Amino acid sequence: MDKKIRTRFAPSPTGGLHLGGVRTVLFNYLFTKQNNGEFILRIEDTDQTRFVEGAEEYINETLAWCGLQPDESPVKGGPYAPYRQSERKEIYRKYAEELVEKGIAYYAFDTPEELDTKRKEIPNFKYDLSTRNSLNNSLTLSDDEVKELLDKNTPHVIRVKMPEENETVSFVDLIRGEVHFNTSESDDKVLLKADGMPTYHLAVVVDDYLMKITQAFRGEEWLPSAPVHVYLWKHLFGIENMPQWAHLPLILKPDGNGKLSKRDGERLGFPVFAMNWTDPRTNESTQGFRERGFLPEAFVNMLAVLGWNDGTEQEIYSMDELLEKFSVEKIHKGGAKFSYDKALWFNHEWIKKLSAEKLLPYIKNVFAEKNIVVKDDAVLLKVIDLVKERCTLLPDFVEQSSFFFQSPDTLDIASVLPKWNEHKNNFFIELIRSYELATAFDAETLEHSFKEMAAASQLKPGELMLPFRIMLVGGKFGPHVFDIAAVLGKEETVKRIKRGLSILEN
RNA sequence: GGAGCGUUGGUCAAGGGGUUAAGACACCUCCCUUUCACGGAGGAAUCACGGGUUCGAUUCCCGUACGCUCUACCA
């Protein structure tokens, strides 16, 4: 039992990594690192027809962005390389044939077309104990016939022969407890395809064994085929060497029911992929959480509590806290509907939580995209602290603070004009004079002199603050006006008041 | 159709044989703020249904309903 903990994430490179995939990685990673184990990335690219260029790189980049780096991977290498199943092709045939010799598997020569017509003719057709004796395989053919077909390189597959007697396979799932299946319910899954590649069913078992995997996390959709894997383990490597299974609950659509899909994101207007993804075949691109303006901390946090809760009221977790508090036993059994509103809330919380220094590179990036030039990082740091609590997504910083770095294009004078008069106009002329002479230009003294002058002019400060804000900011938003003026500095503040006045005059 | 898994407010969820059934998101009202936010207060659940077991069940057991997943030479 003091075996080194080893887990794996085994995606197939067919497109962008979605929420569910990243969460599987997260839970895997958390569990592994809590136990000083090793986390492996294994690429399951056994289906050449579904292989998509760039998908593997995308997975690597996503893991890096989330801070979930594997200890062994195709890129990083490791003692059990290669980590791409297509490069391990030669390994699998041996095991499939071993199974044939043991009578646990058999050769099948039925063509896909033949099986297709069977499926059309017979409702609920399954290649299983009820049909295999009337099909074209080494169970029905004589040894000589089989040998001849094999010698002639006739295309064939190897299928498991699920037991005929009512054998119950049960195993303990880390999340669901004991799960039972009757083996006769499973069909005779293909293990080795005609092209010599293994199917998932053979490949997971073989590779999990060869790579000494101790715990296997995967989505709940795999539960029905688990008995096949357990059966294979039993005859290939022994049940006692089988990893512990953990079938994670699904992430569901926010509306209705069913697995969350890329389509739902498009339909409802939120990302489902971690990062931008462009399908090289269709050129169709999908926005990711990263490009939408999510912080990796928030993304990871949001995923962690989708289907897991530590029993306390805590909702905001850093990676370190997750590493400390995560537990597999507290993962839920039922699926959870994804809520984009909640995801936004997490991002907002993380923007508030992170220091201006940490936020700085993200904000500069977002500004650069809008061609906003920031000359002085120290100013930007101050600005970030001033506006961060009103930003939910990173690009919100542009809206909320671009006026610090460039004068607003237009002023919302409609909000001022109806109540604008000569009296107020004079006040601002006075204010310009006063501010020009000011020796200190901090928010507090600015506010103080502003209010004193207002009192002297028999005006309520409140009536003057909105026009002042519009002149500086352009609209009805942003931090306290005097904080803004202080950051802007004397010259710029005065300049903007003058400009505002000239616009209001017309 | 079959098998497996699941079911606490609109959503995420805590809890667990006896409770006023936590908390968060969203929504609404109010307070704070003469901007927008933040923040604060308040507002919603006969714990899917029906049977048991029990002095007592939302909590344990069995059914039913509903939902989901799988049922490919895809993963």
Side-chain angles (χ1 to χ4, degrees):
Chain A
M1 268 345 287
D2 44 24
K3 253 199 300 183
K4 180 87 170 171
I5 296 290
R6 289 174 57 82
T7 64
R8 97 278 120 132
F9 176 55
S12 59
T14 54
L17 241 202
H18 62 94
L19 289 174
V22 182
R23 193 191 55 177
T24 304
V25 181
L26 214 213
F27 286 2
N28 242 312
Y29 181 87
L30 258 18
F31 170 82
T32 310
K33 294 303 156 189
Q34 284 181 328
N35 292 288
N36 295 312
E38 283 149 355
F39 172 58
I40 288 104
L41 173 66
R42 183 174 72 216
I43 300 294
E44 311 225 328
D45 54 348
T46 54
D47 185 358
Q48 287 123 326
T49 63
R50 293 215 312 157
F51 177 82
V52 175
E53 199 67 46
E56 187 184 321
E57 290 71 18
Y58 180 96
I59 291 165
N60 295 332
E61 202 182 333
T62 298
L63 298 196
W65 180 58
C66 295
L68 304 168
Q69 299 280 24
D71 299 299
E72 295 167 26
S73 74
V75 175
K76 208 175 171 194
Y80 303 95
Y83 292 92
R84 243 176 240 119
Q85 288 182 332
S86 59
E87 295 168 16
R88 305 168 63 76
K89 186 178 173 186
E90 305 316 315
I91 299 174
Y92 308 103
R93 170 145 225 130
K94 185 182 101 189
Y95 293 101
E97 267 159 7
E98 181 186 329
L99 253 9
V100 175
E101 272 163 43
K102 287 180 176 167
I104 300 302
Y106 56 91
Y107 297 104
F109 301 94
D110 321 83
T111 65
E113 294 72 32
E114 284 167 357
L115 293 175
D116 268 353
T117 55
K118 285 272 184 207
R119 274 188 268 268
K120 274 182 200 129
E121 283 165 12
I122 308 163
N124 299 325
F125 171 80
K126 277 165 91 179
Y127 206 122
D128 65 2
L129 76 175
S130 67
T131 55
R132 63 179 165 233
N133 289 123
S134 57
L135 290 155
N136 201 231
N137 54 50
S138 61
L139 264 20
T140 56
L141 267 20
S142 73
D143 288 355
D144 288 344
E145 286 172 312
V146 171
K147 190 173 183 307
E148 198 190 325
L149 284 167
L150 254 24
D151 286 345
K152 283 198 296 189
N153 283 324
T154 313
H156 64 277
V157 301
I158 294 180
R159 312 185 83 112
V160 232
K161 185 185 169 197
M162 292 305 282
E164 288 157 44
E165 59 283 5
N166 275 1
E167 196 175 312
T168 299
V169 164
S170 65
F171 62 93
V172 178
D173 185 277
L174 254 20
I175 294 166
R176 284 146 218 285
E178 202 164 316
V179 187
H180 309 267
F181 290 90
N182 192 321
T183 50
S184 62
E185 301 290 352
S186 296
D187 58 345
D188 291 352
K189 294 261 182 262
V190 169
L191 262 23
L192 201 72
K193 298 185 261 190
D195 64 2
M197 278 288 195
T199 59
Y200 173 82
H201 307 290
L202 212 220
V204 244
V205 172
V206 170
D207 284 342
D208 281 352
Y209 169 73
L210 259 18
M211 295 182 181
K212 298 193 160 53
I213 300 303
T214 53
Q215 276 79 18
F217 290 74
R218 56 176 15 171
E220 189 188 338
E221 66 267 29
W222 289 108
L223 207 41
S225 57
V228 177
H229 309 320
V230 173
Y231 186 68
L232 256 26
W233 266 97
K234 182 177 165 189
H235 292 284
L236 238 24
F237 312 116
I239 287 290
E240 63 284 3
N241 298 313
M242 186 173 73
Q244 289 179 287
W245 297 102
H247 290 91
L248 267 22
L250 269 13
I251 296 178
L252 277 12
K253 309 177 190 298
D255 57 341
N257 291 300
K259 265 203 287 190
L260 179 68
S261 73
K262 197 183 90 181
R263 287 266 164 245
D264 297 314
E266 286 159 10
R267 210 183 79 237
L268 272 10
F270 57 77
V272 304
F273 287 159
M275 313 181 308
N276 277 7
W277 167 254
T278 303
D279 191 313
R281 295 183 296 194
T282 60
N283 247 338
E284 188 191 354
S285 63
T286 314
Q287 192 185 35
F289 278 88
R290 183 177 69 176
E291 290 77 5
R292 185 74 156 231
F294 277 80
L295 256 9
E297 288 87 345
F299 184 61
V300 165
N301 190 161
M302 176 269 291
L303 250 20
V305 297
L306 235 197
W308 171 80
N309 180 289
D310 77 350
T312 70
E313 287 182 13
Q314 183 171 359
E315 289 197 276
I316 302 297
Y317 294 91
S318 65
M319 185 64 91
D320 285 342
E321 286 172 306
L322 286 173
L323 251 9
E324 185 190 329
K325 297 184 174 168
F326 179 76
S327 69
V328 177
E329 303 76 57
K330 295 245 178 207
I331 296 175
H332 304 144
K333 295 184 177 81
K337 289 182 186 171
F338 173 69
S339 161
Y340 185 58
D341 278 332
K342 191 82 187 217
L344 288 173
W345 178 79
F346 276 109
N347 207 243
H348 189 27
E349 290 301 309
W350 272 97
I351 284 177
K352 286 193 284 177
K353 187 178 156 93
L354 255 31
S355 67
E357 286 78 10
K358 281 245 174 64
L359 256 11
L360 188 73
Y362 295 112
I363 311 305
K364 289 181 88 165
N365 198 262
V366 128
F367 274 16
E369 277 170 20
K370 296 284 176 186
N371 296 315
I372 296 167
V373 184
V374 179
K375 279 164 265 171
D376 187 355
D377 279 3
V379 174
L380 183 53
L381 249 21
K382 258 190 266 179
V383 168
I384 291 173
D385 276 328
L386 240 28
V387 305
K388 67 182 195 178
E389 68 187 20
R390 37 205 103 208
C391 297
T392 301
L393 292 169
L394 262 8
D396 292 348
F397 277 93
V398 174
E399 280 169 50
Q400 289 296 328
S401 67
S402 61
F403 61 84
F404 280 106
F405 306 98
Q406 52 189 38
S407 325
D409 296 333
T410 53
L411 303 190
D412 176 16
I413 49 168
S415 305
V416 196
L417 229 36
K419 289 184 175 177
W420 190 249
N421 57 37
E422 193 65 28
H423 201 28
K424 289 180 182 172
N425 194 64
N426 290 339
F427 169 85
F428 279 99
I429 290 169
E430 277 301 309
L431 188 69
I432 292 170
R433 197 171 307 151
S434 155
Y435 279 3
E436 273 175 339
L437 296 170
T439 47
F441 216 77
D442 60 281
E444 216 175 307
T445 50
L446 253 27
E447 179 166 6
H448 186 73
S449 56
F450 186 97
K451 286 187 173 164
E452 267 190 349
M453 288 174 61
S457 326
Q458 311 265 35
L459 282 161
K460 284 186 205 149
E463 293 179 61
L464 299 163
M465 246 124 87
L466 186 62
F468 191 28
R469 166 177 299 279
I470 302 288
M471 290 173 192
L472 299 185
V473 176
K476 289 197 275 187
F477 64 93
H480 289 291
V481 241
F482 301 104
D483 285 332
I484 296 171
V487 172
L488 249 22
K490 182 194 283 190
E491 197 186 326
E492 185 64 22
T493 302
V494 168
K495 200 172 116 191
R496 290 194 190 183
I497 300 171
K498 283 179 179 167
R499 180 190 174 216
L501 249 24
S502 73
I503 290 173
L504 281 164
E505 269 168 22
N506 301 315

